[in-house]
Amino acid sequence: MDYDVIIIGSGPAGLAAATLIAGKGGKVLLLDEQLRPGGQIYRNVENTSMNLRKILGSDYACGEALVKKMRQQSVDYIPGAVVWQVTEGREVGYSVNGKSSLVRAPWVIIATGATERPFPIPGWTLPGVMMAGAAQTLLKSSGLAADGAVFAGCGPLLYLVASQYLRAGVKIAALLDTGAKPNYLAALPYFSGALKRWDMLAKGMKWISDIRRSETRVIKRVSELRIEGKEEATGVSYRTYSGAAGRIETKNIFLHHGVVPNVNLAMAANVEHLWSDEQICWYPRVDSWGCTNVDGLLIAGDGAGISGGLAAEAAGRLAVLWCLKELGKIDPTECDSLARAQISALKHETRIRPFLDNWFKPPEPFRVPDGDTIVCRCEELTVKDISDVIDIGVAGPNQLKSFSRAGMGPCQGRYCGLTVQELIAKKTGRKMSDIGYYRLRPPIKPISLGEFAEMDAGPPANES
Amino acid sequence: MKAKARTADVVIVGGGIHGCSVALQLVRRGLKTIVLEKDHVARHASGVNAGGVRRLGRDLAEVPIAQASWELWQDMPGLVNDDCGYRSSRYLKVARNNKELQQARIRVRELHALGFKHEEVIDRETLNEFMPAVSEDCVGALHVEGDGAAQPFRTTIAFKRRAQDFGAVIEQGMPVTCLGRKGNNWLVRTPSGNFETPVIINTAGAWGGRIAEWLGDKIPLEAHAPMLAITERMCRFVDPVVGTLGDALSFKQLDNGTVLIGGGVRGVASLDNNSTKLDMAGLSRFLKTAQDVFPVMRNTNVVRMWAGIEGYTRDNLPVIGKGSESGVFHAFGFSAHGFQLAPAVGFTVSHLVMGETPNLPIKPFAVGRFHV
Ligand SMILES: Cc1cc2nc3c(=O)[nH]c(=O)nc-3n(C[C@H](O)[C@@H](O)[C@H](O)COP(=O)(O)OP(=O)(O)OC[C@H]3O[C@@H](n4cnc5c(N)ncnc54)[C@H](O)[C@@H]3O)c2cc1C
Ligand SMILES: Cc1cc2nc3c(=O)[nH]c(=O)nc-3n(C[C@H](O)[C@H](O)[C@H](O)COP(=O)(O)OP(=O)(O)OC[C@H]3O[C@@H](n4cnc5c(N)ncnc54)[C@H](O)[C@@H]3O)c2cc1C
């Protein structure tokens, strides 16, 4: 099959994009590793019970319409397809049921969304500790919610998941809020802009008040966190900026400090990335359509910069409009006029971002750990291990990787990349943007050796 | 006003393992030595290779220098103050048919005639004893005791640091952009300043051909990108380093249980922007060979693949020796097997620079062999 466009990711960005392009007669392949369409925000939305929908809220349920529209179009949608590479030549490698294939198209849109920021505190790798988004994933996909958990960190998603937990009728032992005063001051100048999205602010306030009104202990201005336990988590101890300290017994701790673009596929395809000091993350350099420096490769949705589900939809449509115009399926005037609504939707959706970015900026102690805290979980390297390597003059993420294997394991640096970068910056006094990130290589997700061996890849280009 | 050129007894172009090893031996002999590296030390082949420390199966012309290097590898702490993660046990190149085994026997006879007794041919039973996980299709192997592997980045950095201990100056992020005569000296230009030196050493790896041309030697060199793949951790199932006789597969299980697989198949290298492109078809081919030799690997996950830029000569032997102009020495083009040779190459080149006769036969590596 010859496709016009391959879209990776069936979250709001990918769904909106696939639906639009198929509607205009384009041939589209939609790949997603999940077994159901919907992405992070609308995960499993076709399949959830009425009760679970009530728990997850109306923002979640409205994803069903988006999924339905995609289903009604002739989109070649392959669920359970793990994409492990996109090349500069737009060759997409993906694996379904233990079989890998390569497919190429003139246009490829990466819509792989966001991923949770690492939260390296003492004990964060113990069983029982997970990211709040991952806890939500369990809730969405199998209705599971742990009783008596502790939520720690800050950010809208943390409060959202906590309020969903409460609606599910389980108890939350405590919410340890790491929000810090300097953030509030930094966010102040953006407050009037954020007010234009009072509806979103109100939603957030509602989550917080739901938590307040419950039996949940809320501890604010937390400055230090430590997970306790040997084989598994048994509790969490904390300290606040005002000097109060305590310990809460629990087997489940959910951490969260916001989400960052999922850059692995795009970086491995040589897409140029920029550093954001505001959001403390890398994001791909894209134009207003989502085009990158790599010909024919576009990025849409939270993978291009965190803006939320509705913005992702608009961005997905914009990316597709560009492809449709280039493919000659719509003319430039139609493209521009269709784009207008998406551009203003995008603007409307992103108004609140500067305020949120500043308010919820994860404070340094939770990004830049010290001592025996594990940084690279795959290779079990601690801050001390990493610091020792920096001390002998190995002061770039790739050098450090070659020396210590940090970031070389199965997670490909997802859990340690940003932390390693910050440790180097702190120790050497250099700017984050100058330090750079790991060079990423396929497969960006582990694939079995047998699968590679048996893949139909044609003849080798260059044999010795 | 333009800054004055810095001076040195020797300027080395290229901070890979060879540049650092040569620098170490020269500073130990008391020469003021500066290494100029355009990126950072160990950025290229020297830092990302498979770490194989192998004498086994080398071209006969390379056996003496490989043997000398092997002896140096036995005491890396003495040489560079670090064990470099070097582990040795056995190295095996398995034969998958009798023809390959027969050729191996002929090779061993030739080696013995030259006085090198380290290699031998082993039969299927002995092979199975050394590696129970090996496929039944393997009929025997070429075998050596004492070869092994080290950590390439760490090793190269160890050479760099040891050279610095003795006073070598290593400048990183300093590309040499032009080389020319200034009286009896060489003038070396970089964007951050010039250098003047009577002796220039070209250890620029895959870029060595370009540097050689500036120094008056035309040496055909091709750049390729040999590829590697690494798996997730597996239970220990193989101790020796393993290769194949038919194709250039190499295979080793590291201390942490991950398995590093390299093949003779190469990706595409670009000298101008330091980049490599993987060739999925080639990778698929060599992973198939790995699976054929070790069926237990079939369900193991591959977590990462990469390639490094390496220079290849026409006869796959390095260029080591004096250039045609005075004060010029070359050591580059190691054709994907130069990591093991680095300790000995450092001594050999230092002998040449000091005007001494090297104690190893290096004629086969002579610069002039490509002249018509
Ligand atoms: C764990 C988590 C939970 C979240 N929950 C919410 C929420 O409840 N409410 C909310 O407003 N926002 C939530 N967000 C924020 C989220 O980023 C939304 O803004 C929105 O889902 C973004 O839409 P998107 O289309 O850009 O990406 P996503 O919705 O994230 O969709 C990306 C899709 O790409 C797929 N994918 C990624 N990599 C690959 C690959 N290599 N191969 C194949 N498929 C791949 C994923 O399976 C996913 O379906 C969450 C984020 C995370 C990380
Ligand atoms: C994937 C792979 C696997 C391998 N496996 C093995 C193995 O198992 N065993 C083994 O023995 N060998 C192996 N090799 C070969 C080995 O890595 C090389 O032969 C060896 O590292 C070459 O070292 P070098 O110092 O000559 O080159 P390099 O490491 O390439 O160093 C040359 C340096 O010169 C610099 N340079 C170039 N031009 C300029 C300039 N104009 N100015 C300043 N600096 C410049 C470059 O930036 C580079 O850092 C492998 C190679 C690769 C790529």
Side-chain angles (χ1 to χ4, degrees):
Chain A
M1 178 76 180
D2 285 333
Y3 292 106
D4 294 317
V5 184
I6 300 169
I7 298 171
I8 304 155
S10 66
L15 286 169
T19 307
L20 179 57
I21 197 153
K24 296 280 176 192
K27 289 195 214 94
V28 55
L29 175 65
L30 177 62
L31 302 169
D32 197 304
E33 65 189 346
Q34 289 190 46
L35 295 174
R36 304 257 159 205
Q40 297 293 3
I41 178 166
Y42 309 131
R43 179 183 287 272
N44 206 25
V45 68
E46 287 177 319
N47 254 32
T48 35
S49 65
M50 283 316 286
N51 181 38
L52 190 51
R53 282 191 188 197
K54 241 182 248 149
I55 292 169
L56 293 171
S58 59
D59 280 354
Y60 173 76
C62 78
E64 194 182 17
L66 197 63
V67 170
K68 222 178 223 155
K69 280 190 208 144
M70 185 278 286
R71 293 280 196 195
Q72 283 159 359
Q73 295 289 349
S74 69
V75 172
D76 275 0
Y77 162 58
I78 308 183
V82 178
V83 175
W84 47 264
Q85 83 157 1
V86 177
T87 68
E88 275 176 280
R90 295 177 312 280
E91 184 179 69
V92 176
Y94 67 96
S95 161
V96 185
N97 285 330
K99 240 184 100 75
S100 268
S101 316
L102 298 174
V103 53
R104 217 185 273 267
W107 297 94
V108 172
I109 301 174
I110 296 180
T112 49
T115 174
E116 284 177 276
R117 178 190 290 285
F119 202 133
I121 52 171
W124 69 302
T125 56
L126 287 171
V129 184
M130 60 167 117
M131 303 308 282
Q136 189 204 37
T137 296
L138 284 177
L139 183 61
K140 284 176 178 170
S141 52
S142 35
L144 288 175
D147 214 7
V150 169
F151 284 68
C154 64
L157 193 59
L158 186 76
Y159 309 130
L160 168 62
V161 182
S163 71
Q164 289 169 333
Y165 256 61
L166 293 172
R167 252 175 283 152
V170 301
K171 285 208 177 82
I172 297 177
L175 189 143
L176 305 175
D177 196 319
T178 57
K181 256 193 193 144
N183 282 4
Y184 306 154
L185 291 176
L188 215 55
Y190 304 103
F191 186 60
S192 59
L195 272 180
K196 302 217 169 71
R197 292 310 309 271
W198 58 269
D199 55 321
M200 286 173 105
L201 292 176
K203 221 180 273 171
M205 304 293 283
K206 168 88 170 57
W207 299 334
I208 293 171
S209 82
D210 284 352
I211 298 163
R212 282 279 169 71
R213 279 188 289 116
S214 72
E215 297 162 46
T216 310
R217 255 178 89 187
V218 177
I219 294 151
K220 296 200 5 176
R221 304 200 353 96
V222 169
S223 61
E224 240 182 87
L225 283 167
R226 170 182 293 274
I227 314 277
E228 293 180 349
K230 273 215 155 70
E231 304 291 304
E232 55 181 16
T234 54
V236 52
S237 60
Y238 64 88
R239 191 176 285 280
T240 68
Y241 287 100
S242 43
R247 181 182 186 281
I248 297 160
E249 212 142 305
T250 178
K251 280 180 171 329
N252 293 288
I253 297 124
F254 302 143
L255 302 173
H256 181 78
H257 256 160
V259 298
V260 297
N262 187 353
V263 291
N264 287 42
L265 258 185
M267 278 196 176
N270 276 338
V271 169
E272 188 190 330
H273 282 69
L274 305 170
W275 176 258
S276 162
D277 275 322
E278 194 126 284
Q279 301 181 331
I280 323 178
C281 66
W282 293 97
Y283 62 96
R285 189 169 65 80
V286 294
D287 68 9
S288 54
W289 302 96
C291 297
T292 66
N293 60 304
V294 177
D295 273 348
L297 188 60
L298 290 86
I299 304 179
D302 272 5
I306 305 307
S307 314
L310 293 173
E313 268 183 56
R317 292 192 187 104
L318 278 172
V320 149
L321 286 173
W322 178 266
C323 302
L324 284 167
K325 186 195 69 170
E326 293 291 306
L327 286 162
K329 297 206 182 280
I330 57 175
D331 62 42
T333 18
E334 189 184 358
C335 175
D336 285 346
S337 82
L338 289 174
R340 233 163 276 141
Q342 306 309 324
I343 291 169
S344 65
L346 204 54
K347 200 166 156 212
H348 182 63
E349 286 307 318
T350 47
R351 273 221 172 97
I352 195 171
R353 294 312 315 183
F355 175 75
L356 294 181
D357 291 343
N358 280 288
W359 188 273
F360 292 118
K361 193 170 186 167
E364 190 179 292
F366 303 107
R367 302 194 321 263
V368 195
D370 52 28
D372 298 332
T373 304
I374 286 181
V375 175
C376 166
R377 22 194 333 162
C378 301
E379 294 292 329
E380 289 161 27
L381 297 169
T382 64
V383 176
K384 187 173 177 313
D385 296 330
I386 304 276
S387 302
D388 288 349
V389 180
I390 300 171
D391 281 340
I392 65 166
V394 177
N398 292 300
Q399 293 161 265
L400 208 135
K401 175 170 67 186
S402 300
F403 201 98
S404 67
R405 298 203 182 107
M408 262 228 199
C411 91
Q412 284 252 8
R414 283 177 181 83
Y415 288 112
C416 67
L418 290 171
T419 315
V420 161
Q421 198 187 333
E422 293 224 49
L423 287 171
I424 298 173
K426 195 168 176 192
K427 259 194 121 66
T428 60
R430 280 150 63 211
K431 285 200 303 211
M432 289 289 279
S433 52
D434 292 343
I435 287 165
Y437 197 71
Y438 292 138
R439 251 190 314 283
L440 294 172
R441 295 292 209 169
I444 63 121
K445 300 246 167 144
I447 297 293
S448 84
L449 186 136
E451 200 174 327
F452 275 120
E454 283 145 27
M455 178 174 69
D456 178 12
N462 183 349
E463 212 163 340
S464 57
Chain B
M1 210 192 82
K2 258 180 107 177
K4 233 180 127 229
R6 290 160 66 182
T7 58
D9 297 329
V10 184
V11 167
I12 297 177
V13 184
I17 193 164
H18 287 285
C20 293
S21 176
V22 171
L24 170 60
Q25 298 314 326
L26 289 175
V27 281
R28 297 199 64 170
R29 302 291 293 266
L31 297 194
K32 183 180 173 197
T33 305
I34 301 181
V35 179
L36 302 177
E37 164 55 48
K38 67 178 169 61
D39 300 310
H40 58 76
V41 167
R43 161 72 174 85
H44 293 290
S46 299
V48 303
N49 66 58
V53 176
R54 165 180 70 83
R55 293 165 295 170
L56 186 73
R58 284 194 179 256
D59 190 296
L60 296 183
E62 261 183 11
V63 171
I65 193 168
Q67 178 64 27
S69 223
W70 180 82
E71 279 155 24
L72 292 164
W73 273 103
Q74 303 319 302
D75 181 21
M76 289 311 268
L79 185 64
V80 293
N81 214 7
D82 185 36
D83 77 4
C84 301
Y86 173 63
R87 306 276 180 276
S88 68
S89 63
R90 313 172 179 283
Y91 209 122
L92 292 152
K93 278 177 174 276
V94 297
R96 278 168 297 162
N97 55 54
N98 284 319
K99 193 169 153 235
E100 285 175 359
L101 205 59
Q102 190 49 32
Q103 278 166 350
R105 285 202 186 93
I106 297 170
R107 171 190 166 79
V108 169
R109 237 174 278 141
E110 284 173 353
L111 262 184
H112 282 216
L114 291 172
F116 293 101
K117 311 275 177 187
H118 55 281
E119 294 186 17
E120 61 171 344
V121 169
I122 56 168
D123 59 16
R124 175 183 271 151
E125 281 67 47
T126 321
L127 176 62
N128 277 330
E129 205 179 290
F130 291 157
M131 296 195 299
V134 77
S135 152
E136 287 173 9
D137 297 337
C138 299
V139 296
L142 191 61
H143 167 247
V144 67
E145 213 168 312
D147 279 5
Q151 294 171 20
F153 190 90
R154 176 170 163 188
T155 306
T156 306
I157 295 297
F159 273 98
K160 169 192 173 234
R161 297 181 76 205
R162 200 64 184 141
Q164 286 172 315
D165 289 344
F166 287 97
V169 173
I170 299 193
E171 298 284 4
Q172 309 185 75
M174 254 207 218
V176 172
T177 51
C178 180
L179 287 159
R181 277 285 182 196
K182 190 179 175 197
N184 283 334
N185 283 348
W186 287 96
L187 185 68
V188 185
R189 290 184 195 275
T190 82
S192 16
N194 299 340
F195 298 81
E196 209 179 308
T197 174
V199 174
I200 186 124
I201 301 175
N202 170 14
T203 51
W207 295 262
R210 293 183 174 183
I211 302 294
E213 203 164 336
W214 290 344
L215 294 168
D217 291 305
K218 259 196 139 67
I219 299 164
L221 191 73
E222 283 183 26
H224 295 291
M227 300 185 287
L228 296 174
I230 195 156
T231 71
E232 64 193 349
R233 297 178 188 204
M234 293 181 72
C235 292
R236 189 117 219 121
F237 71 95
V238 56
D239 226 21
V241 185
V242 187
T244 49
L245 280 168
D247 30 32
L249 181 86
S250 92
F251 186 100
K252 59 185 76 79
Q253 188 166 23
L254 308 179
D255 284 352
N256 68 352
T258 60
V259 180
L260 182 63
I261 310 164
V265 196
R266 310 152 176 171
V268 181
S270 163
L271 292 182
D272 291 324
N273 56 14
N274 277 349
S275 74
T276 55
K277 271 201 189 104
L278 299 177
D279 171 37
M280 233 5 104
L283 279 162
S284 165
R285 165 88 64 93
F286 84 65
L287 292 176
K288 168 111 180 40
T289 311
Q291 174 181 318
D292 289 347
V293 175
F294 290 108
V296 292
M297 299 225 41
R298 191 171 183 284
N299 295 320
T300 305
N301 281 331
V302 173
V303 299
R304 194 177 154 78
M305 299 164 164
W306 71 96
I309 304 179
E310 172 72 319
Y312 292 76
T313 62
R314 265 188 214 147
D315 54 12
N316 285 319
L317 293 175
V319 175
I320 305 172
K322 272 185 156 138
S324 44
E325 295 227 21
S326 68
V328 172
F329 301 88
H330 300 288
F332 68 91
F334 286 89
S335 309
H337 41 259
F339 177 66
Q340 190 269 1
L341 298 177
V345 169
F347 282 98
T348 301
V349 174
S350 74
H351 293 154
L352 289 171
V353 171
M354 302 304 289
E356 299 157 5
T357 313
N359 51 6
L360 291 166
I362 56 165
K363 242 213 188 117
F365 316 133
V367 176
R369 71 187 193 271
F370 299 107
H371 291 172
V372 269

